[in-house]
Amino acid sequence: FAAASLLGGLATTSGLLFGARALQGVFAALLAPAALALITVTFHDPKERAKAFGVFGAISGGGAAIGLLLGGVLTEFLSWRWCLAVNTPIAIIAALLALRFVRESKAQGDTSYDIPGAITVTGGLLALVYGFTKAAPAGYDDGAHWTDPSTLAWFAVATVLLTAFFIIESRSKHPLLPMRVIRNSNRAGAYISALMVGAGMFAMFLFLGIYLQTILGYTPIQAGIAFLPFSLGVILAAGVAARLLPQFGPRPLMIPGLLAGAAGMLWLAQLEPQTNYFTHILPAMVIMSVGMAFVFIPTATVALHAIDQHDAGVGSAMINTSQQVGGSLGTALMNTVAVTATSAYLAANGPESMPSALTHGFTHGFYVGAGLLAGAAIVVFFMIRIGADAVDEQDAPGAHVG
């Protein structure tokens, strides 16, 4: 990851930059699941595990806060290249600390690789994301292309490849995604809700960042500072969520958290070109940050609750995959919605209305994000059934749950 980040920072062509970013994704995919899996197999007492997830969430929120501010500083005073290169020393330090403090944990039994499954699911997800991208208008004077043959072709390829993936997984002796992991209603609900949250929240950061700098005229540093309350809210609320989870169970935390996130997104959907940050954007971000903290911690707990130690890595990877795939799909979908709405506004009001047209497009994207978060609350209500008593059960290390 350190090397890929440095390669991206030094890239001289767009192809090299995209390739470096792809390598970052590959190595991040090795890192992220291992972190949550280590927590799962290390802490068997549910209260201790909840605290560990709370610490993990707080550190993630702290990292996001530092990243937002540091990214603004680096972009404004140095270059965007440093936003990639700065990862290199951080990753090297983390690797040295891991050698000193992280105890090894390996899955027992068969650990063969499912190459056909990996190829079909990767290709299917790429085709799906690209299909949403192809549906977007090519320019602000263009319309959406949902029914264009090229768009439909990519959706068809995605359908074929993803269908093939599940067929392969159901028949493979060594599946990439064992069906027993997602047949459990609670875990499936956690993964689906994580995908929908990722879809709604990733695009929110993108749109709001563009709005702050393009419409309100914030500098990169000011935009980074403007996002700090969100990260701080996650940090503070994560500790509260970790303490409440063993008392109330996941659903009483997740559903209000998701609805709070949807409410904050609806608040952002009322933006106008002259909206005041302190009276409108800040309250919305605080509401969303607290709500998301009450979602992230229980989601990780439910997704990994009572899972076979052999499947801990798969369960952890599914959380990260769901969030990342949701972010990609949500960004592609909401960008298509936003550009389409902006195009329609410009057609009706003329090119001089560009600030209002862009804001109009962003607000339509926020409405979609609110719908995704509300939909995730419905998924949690119907699919996640474990209560505080189940969360409070002590896991037997390596116990198998089919």
Side-chain angles (χ1 to χ4, degrees):
F1 187 81
S5 298
L6 183 60
L7 181 64
L10 298 175
T12 55
T13 66
S14 59
L16 186 57
L17 176 60
F18 296 153
R21 291 289 289 162
L23 286 174
Q24 279 187 304
V26 169
F27 296 122
L30 297 176
L31 292 168
L36 287 175
L38 280 169
I39 294 176
T40 303
V41 299
T42 301
F43 297 93
H44 301 291
D45 179 82
K47 293 182 179 179
E48 293 300 314
R49 184 183 294 174
K51 291 179 182 178
F53 281 134
V55 172
F56 184 87
I59 291 175
S60 298
I66 295 171
L68 289 168
L69 184 57
L70 183 60
V73 172
L74 293 174
T75 301
E76 187 162 341
F77 293 109
L78 294 174
S79 165
W80 62 266
R81 295 177 180 278
W82 282 96
C83 293
L84 294 170
V86 72
N87 292 327
T88 301
I90 296 173
I92 292 173
I93 292 171
L96 294 174
L97 291 173
L99 287 173
R100 170 67 178 83
F101 294 106
V102 176
R103 290 178 294 174
E104 188 58 271
S105 176
K106 298 179 181 180
Q108 302 300 316
D110 193 355
T111 55
S112 300
Y113 297 105
D114 176 17
I115 302 301
I119 292 174
T120 51
V121 72
T122 302
L125 292 173
L126 284 172
L128 185 59
V129 172
Y130 194 65
F132 281 119
T133 302
K134 290 287 288 183
Y140 288 122
D141 57 348
D142 193 14
H145 302 280
W146 290 105
T147 58
D148 281 8
S150 60
T151 302
L152 296 176
W154 282 106
F155 285 143
V157 170
T159 301
V160 171
L161 288 176
L162 292 176
T163 301
F165 168 72
F166 283 104
I167 293 174
I168 290 170
E169 298 311 283
S170 64
R171 298 180 179 180
S172 175
K173 293 182 180 179
H174 314 293
L176 177 69
L177 174 60
M179 291 295 102
R180 62 179 176 271
V181 173
I182 60 174
R183 284 197 187 107
N184 180 287
S185 173
N186 296 301
R187 289 197 287 269
Y191 300 142
I192 294 172
S193 63
L195 186 147
M196 298 176 75
V197 168
M201 296 304 297
F202 275 55
M204 182 277 292
F205 283 113
L206 173 64
F207 289 165
L208 193 56
I210 296 174
Y211 172 83
L212 289 172
Q213 295 181 70
T214 303
I215 306 300
L216 296 188
Y218 281 31
T219 66
I221 292 180
Q222 289 173 327
I225 294 173
F227 277 115
L228 284 180
F230 185 94
S231 299
L232 295 175
V234 172
I235 294 172
L236 296 175
V240 177
R243 289 194 294 270
L244 294 178
L245 181 60
Q247 301 179 40
F248 298 99
R251 280 208 307 172
L253 302 186
M254 294 178 70
I255 293 177
L258 288 165
L259 294 178
M265 200 77 75
L266 287 174
W267 199 332
L268 289 180
Q270 312 309 311
L271 289 178
E272 296 179 356
Q274 294 81 31
T275 295
N276 182 274
Y277 170 82
F278 292 99
T279 60
H280 199 106
I281 300 174
L282 177 60
M285 285 203 297
V286 171
I287 291 173
M288 283 191 292
S289 67
V290 174
M292 289 302 99
F294 277 68
V295 174
F296 295 150
I297 309 304
T299 298
T301 300
V302 174
L304 296 170
H305 171 68
I307 197 169
D308 188 305
Q309 185 168 334
H310 183 82
D311 294 330
V314 174
S316 177
M318 277 297 295
I319 299 176
N320 290 279
T321 300
S322 298
Q323 292 173 340
Q324 296 298 324
V325 170
S328 299
L329 292 174
T331 301
L333 172 61
M334 292 168 68
N335 182 66
T336 299
V337 170
V339 174
T340 302
T342 297
S343 301
Y345 193 97
L346 285 173
N349 298 277
E352 66 279 359
S353 65
M354 180 59 80
S356 296
L358 286 173
T359 305
H360 182 71
F362 296 153
T363 58
H364 275 64
F366 292 140
Y367 277 122
V368 174
L372 288 168
L373 294 180
I378 296 173
V379 169
V380 170
F381 179 81
F382 284 105
M383 296 189 69
I384 296 181
R385 314 303 299 178
I386 61 174
D389 53 341
V391 173
D392 201 40
E393 293 173 359
Q394 176 133 347
D395 295 343
H400 177 80
V401 176

